[in-house]
Amino acid sequence: MTNMPQIYLITPPEIDAAFPDRLAAVLDAHDIACLRLTLASRDEDRITRAADACREVAHRFDVPLVISDHAAMVEKLGLDGVHLTDRRGLRRLRDAWGPDPIIGAFCGTSRHDGMNAGEAGADYVAFGPVGAGHLGDGSRAEAELFTWWSEMIELPVVAEGALDAKGIDTLREATDFIALGEEVWAADDPVAQLSTLTAPLR
């Protein structure tokens, strides 16, 4: 793989009224391949309002918007696909949707789960967390997993979870996408923060 990975952006778990403007500033300054709406809330009304706000900005910049797990809301909200953290319904969903909507699958640190997701019709698989300091069982997706995947498997792969510039530098020739969320939004200036984090890609 010789191309540099593209940037895949994840929304914060809570979206406030100021977020669309912050998002627009980032999309205006950086080339973003995909945006994922990942909210802590399960409230359909809040999800709908957040999706409407994000979709308006994302589509203005020709960035596809996928939502974490709420596959049933994709068509209703005019989104471009879904990112599944539970892969069990993936094949059924692909059969129902046909080839067009994006279906991504989070596969933790498991090469086997990634291959199964690809066989079931995923458009990409995501492995993570790459960095330390994440909640969960402490397991991490090591650089070797991405290197192996990129050499052996054609399906695009996303690296996510507690990434810093050093981690991104390590993975720049082994992954198709670098997914960044709180790493960017926690900063006062997300545009500058994203520039700093992705410096190894330039």
Side-chain angles (χ1 to χ4, degrees):
M1 225 171 80
T2 51
N3 292 341
M4 284 289 157
Q6 296 176 278
I7 304 166
Y8 178 127
L9 209 54
I10 303 169
T11 67
E14 299 284 342
I15 287 179
D16 57 19
F19 181 72
D21 288 341
R22 297 179 84 207
L23 176 61
V26 170
L27 298 190
D28 192 38
H30 293 276
D31 198 10
I32 304 297
C34 187
L35 176 67
R36 183 200 308 168
L37 184 64
T38 300
L39 300 179
S41 174
R42 311 292 294 178
D43 180 71
E44 192 167 325
D45 190 50
R46 290 178 72 173
I47 293 169
T48 298
R49 284 202 304 273
D52 285 345
C54 291
R55 185 191 63 241
E56 193 277 316
V57 177
H59 287 179
R60 192 190 329 152
F61 290 95
D62 291 325
V63 175
L65 176 61
V66 300
I67 190 169
S68 281
D69 293 324
H70 297 285
M73 298 177 78
V74 167
E75 189 175 356
K76 186 174 76 169
L77 296 175
L79 308 182
D80 299 288
V82 70
H83 174 86
L84 299 174
T85 54
D86 179 345
R87 302 171 307 281
R88 282 175 297 188
L90 201 164
R91 190 183 300 275
R92 204 165 53 245
L93 193 58
R94 176 55 79 204
D95 289 345
W97 279 2
D100 285 342
I102 299 165
I103 302 178
F106 181 71
C107 298
T109 61
S110 172
R111 182 189 296 188
H112 178 73
D113 287 349
M115 290 192 287
N116 283 346
E119 285 168 12
D123 292 297
Y124 69 81
V125 300
F127 294 120
V130 174
H134 242 56
L135 298 172
D137 61 4
S139 61
R140 290 167 60 176
E142 303 292 346
E144 292 80 16
L145 171 61
F146 294 95
T147 302
W148 178 88
W149 187 275
S150 295
E151 287 171 358
M152 305 300 292
I153 311 285
E154 294 230 336
L155 192 69
V157 61
V158 178
E160 68 175 71
L163 278 156
D164 54 19
K166 184 167 176 280
I168 290 170
D169 190 32
T170 302
L171 291 172
R172 63 182 180 170
E173 292 184 0
T175 189
D176 299 285
F177 299 93
I178 297 286
L180 297 164
E182 287 296 278
E183 299 98 328
V184 173
W185 304 118
D188 290 335
D189 183 347
V191 173
Q193 175 71 353
L194 187 52
S195 291
T196 301
L197 283 168
T198 58
L201 305 184
R202 287 188 288 283

